[in-house]
Amino acid sequence: MIPFDNTYARLPDRFYARLDPTPVAAPKLVRVNTMLARQLRIDPDWLATSDGVAVLAGNQVPAGAEPMALAYAGHQFGHFVPQLGDGRANLLGEVVGLDGIRRDIQLKGAGPTPFSRRGDGRAALGPVLREYLISEAMAALGVPTTRSLAAVTTGEPVRREALLPGAVLTRVAASHMRVGTFQYFAAQGDAAGVKLLADHAIARHYPDAAGAENPYLAFLSAVIARQADLVARWLLIGFIHGVMNTDNCSIAGETIDYGPCAFMDAYDPGTVFSSIDQHGRYAYGNQPRIVLWNLTRLAECLLPLLGDTEDGAKAALAGFAPAFEAAYFGGLRRKIGLQTERKGDNDLTQDLLKLMAEDGADFTLTFRTLCDAADGPTGEAAVGALFKDAGAYEAWAQRWRVRLAQETGSAMAMRAVNPAFIPRNHLVEAALAAAAERADFQPFETLLAVLSRPFQDDPNLERYATPPREEERVLQTFCGT
Ligand code: AMP
Ligand code: MG
């Protein structure tokens, strides 16, 4: 019933540990992602049957699956851990979707593995729904990301600070190769392992690199380009990943491992939500620097494959800044309605961000109301109201209008890049609390529906588009692992 076609399982035994998911007491379906299932050639109605739910809970191993926990290492907050690995995830196998793209199907929270260390191998319902909501919101926002195919509750409690309902998320990813996967083999001096992994990654994600003069250098450059683009996209929607460890940095260039991630309300580049990020290493504005740091670790792993000198790797890494800047500044220009590029445009966008930071203006709402302002002066007051100093905004807006007059069709184009709806923390927390504390999944379902159409205004959904009131603000997020 799931058309598996596995390739990672053909790699040598030291890449993973084969084991079945651990069954749970009383699996119950929370949600199936119908559209995604169809794209993956899986019948969503079957997924919702008791057989399907048994598979999603790890109680039944479906035909064609080759369950395994993957080996990887990683730098966690800058400290290298030579062995992390899937401590609570089980890769069932791969499917090739209707788009011809191969994807992993993985159960997250499927029980202990040889990589679990002191963890219980399980996941709590709150964090599972959080990943479901935010990954699907990211997909709707057009950001490369892992997806969520289904969520089930297990009927078993998990012990965190309190006893919480347990759940399993079915995660779909272009692959689960991480920078940390390369580090795992490199740290053991397993050059053959690094090469096998690189060849696998090239075949799967960067086939063009195979034909290059130096395929491994082309591969490194291509990963760098995808990650530069990805982190620019994060910044352009106010996303903060929260745990950008090298094991959470995907070789395929997808956003992966949604833990204490969060969207910023008021614009402040220093914003940190994660309770475990005490020094702000993974603050909003620090993310590009950290991606480059992670990619530098990848380059180090690949050095033996790149020839004798470090020059190639250095040149590839030097490509990060221009790639990021082109994506980021280009994206910012489009956010204020500029399709063409002229001298002074970057000053214009930077000056707006500076004003927003000084005045604590809401990031998402500023750009969204700016779309109406682009239509004509009647929209202007709503933007000004977001700034403590409406006069300072006015002065900026005058410069903007002059520049905007040189463009056409701006408001419509702006509405396609500036979302009205993002997973605001207070809404996410409320939806998770209703589900975990009262088994009320309605707020989760409603929020999910709203977030699936982030660029469509809807006056009935005003409450989902506005920043939290002071007493609603969420100041900290937790990974809940
Ligand atoms: P994460 O913070 O989710 O990226 O996880 C970091 C590492 O901790 C990975 O090796 C995970 O597999 C492992 N891990 C996280 N939560 C658990 C858990 N509840 N049980 C076992 N391992 C876990
Ligand atoms: Mg992780």
Side-chain angles (χ1 to χ4, degrees):
M1 292 294 192
I2 300 179
F4 285 111
D5 176 17
N6 307 329
T7 60
Y8 208 79
R10 305 284 78 77
L11 290 166
D13 286 347
R14 62 189 192 282
F15 280 64
Y16 43 75
R18 289 188 193 266
L19 84 163
D20 287 352
T22 308
V24 301
K28 211 170 141 211
L29 186 66
V30 173
R31 192 168 206 286
V32 164
N33 190 335
T34 304
M35 293 236 289
L36 180 60
R38 291 209 182 98
Q39 283 167 24
L40 298 174
R41 300 191 234 235
I42 302 170
D43 178 2
D45 295 329
W46 173 77
L47 279 179
T49 64
S50 58
D51 279 350
V53 174
V55 166
L56 297 172
N59 285 21
Q60 233 174 69
V61 176
E66 295 174 84
M68 57 173 61
L70 306 191
Y72 53 85
H75 274 91
Q76 298 190 305
F77 290 90
H79 302 286
F80 186 62
V81 183
Q83 181 173 303
L84 288 167
D86 288 334
R88 54 164 170 171
N90 193 303
L91 175 65
L92 293 181
E94 302 155 29
V95 297
V96 179
L98 293 174
D99 55 6
I101 296 176
R102 175 181 300 281
R103 291 190 181 80
D104 282 2
I105 298 186
Q106 188 207 59
L107 303 182
K108 192 168 171 183
T113 78
F115 303 110
S116 293
R117 290 167 296 158
R118 281 185 297 279
D120 61 0
R122 292 299 183 189
L125 178 60
V128 162
L129 296 185
R130 191 181 170 79
E131 171 151 0
Y132 197 122
L133 272 175
I134 300 186
S135 64
E136 288 306 301
M138 292 286 269
L141 288 164
V143 181
T145 177
T146 62
R147 302 288 303 271
S148 297
L149 179 62
V152 298
T153 48
T154 60
E156 294 175 4
V158 294
R159 183 173 289 283
R160 297 294 179 259
E161 283 92 56
L163 280 184
L164 302 168
V168 178
L169 179 79
T170 306
R171 174 160 77 180
V172 172
S175 80
H176 283 86
M177 284 177 275
R178 307 144 187 271
V179 169
T181 318
F182 282 89
Q183 291 180 292
Y184 177 79
F185 296 106
Q188 297 175 38
D190 182 354
V194 173
K195 184 171 184 305
L196 279 170
L197 184 65
D199 290 338
H200 187 84
I202 289 170
R204 188 156 174 186
H205 300 305
Y206 302 96
D208 290 350
E213 196 184 327
N214 185 335
Y216 301 109
L217 191 56
F219 164 62
L220 176 62
S221 297
V223 178
I224 289 169
R226 267 193 215 176
Q227 283 287 342
D229 184 68
L230 180 67
V231 73
R233 286 170 187 267
W234 288 358
L235 296 198
L236 291 167
I237 53 168
F239 177 76
I240 304 163
H241 183 285
V243 212
M244 293 172 67
N245 296 334
T246 56
D247 55 302
N248 294 338
C249 185
S250 154
I251 295 299
E254 288 183 335
T255 313
I256 191 168
D257 272 3
Y258 292 87
C261 61
F263 280 71
M264 191 165 60
D265 292 306
Y267 178 68
D268 171 4
T271 304
V272 175
F273 285 104
S274 168
S275 62
I276 53 172
D277 190 4
Q278 291 180 352
H279 303 289
R281 179 181 169 90
Y282 301 142
Y284 170 82
N286 231 13
Q287 296 182 111
R289 221 169 303 160
I290 291 293
V291 169
L292 179 57
W293 192 90
N294 290 347
L295 292 166
T296 307
R297 305 288 82 76
L298 175 64
E300 287 164 0
C301 297
L302 294 174
L303 275 182
L305 297 177
L306 295 177
D308 286 336
T309 74
E310 295 181 3
D311 293 354
K314 282 190 177 146
L317 289 165
F320 178 84
F324 165 74
E325 282 165 16
Y328 176 64
F329 290 112
L332 276 181
R333 275 198 308 276
R334 286 188 291 280
K335 281 177 86 70
I336 65 165
L338 311 181
Q339 307 304 322
T340 62
E341 183 180 358
R342 302 204 180 192
K343 204 161 159 284
D345 284 354
N346 288 347
D347 291 339
L348 198 58
T349 54
Q350 290 310 303
D351 289 347
L352 175 62
L353 288 177
K354 200 161 147 261
L355 278 183
M356 288 166 65
E358 282 165 10
D359 281 24
D362 184 82
F363 183 77
T364 304
L365 204 53
T366 298
F367 286 107
R368 189 69 186 184
T369 49
L370 217 49
C371 304
D372 299 331
D375 261 341
T378 45
E380 200 76 81
V383 197
L386 300 171
F387 291 77
K388 286 187 203 118
D389 180 359
Y393 164 72
E394 262 312 315
W396 179 86
Q398 271 178 22
R399 288 164 57 204
W400 175 54
R401 287 201 176 286
V402 172
R403 175 63 185 85
L404 202 61
Q406 299 166 326
E407 304 274 333
T408 51
S410 294
M412 254 226 316
M414 285 172 73
R415 286 195 185 93
V417 294
N418 293 312
F421 303 108
I422 52 155
R424 290 186 184 269
N425 299 321
H426 65 297
L427 301 172
V428 172
E429 296 297 335
L432 304 195
E437 291 163 20
R438 303 189 291 282
D440 174 8
F441 291 91
Q442 199 51 55
F444 165 75
E445 289 291 340
T446 308
L447 186 55
L448 196 58
V450 171
L451 295 174
S452 70
R453 290 179 300 274
F455 299 107
Q456 272 175 45
D457 282 318
D458 185 338
N460 296 319
L461 299 176
E462 176 89 17
R463 158 177 122 68
Y464 293 92
T466 42
R469 292 189 304 272
E470 189 57 35
E471 70 277 13
E472 290 177 319
R473 281 180 62 199
V474 174
L475 301 175
Q476 235 181 17
T477 52
F478 303 88
C479 45
T481 50

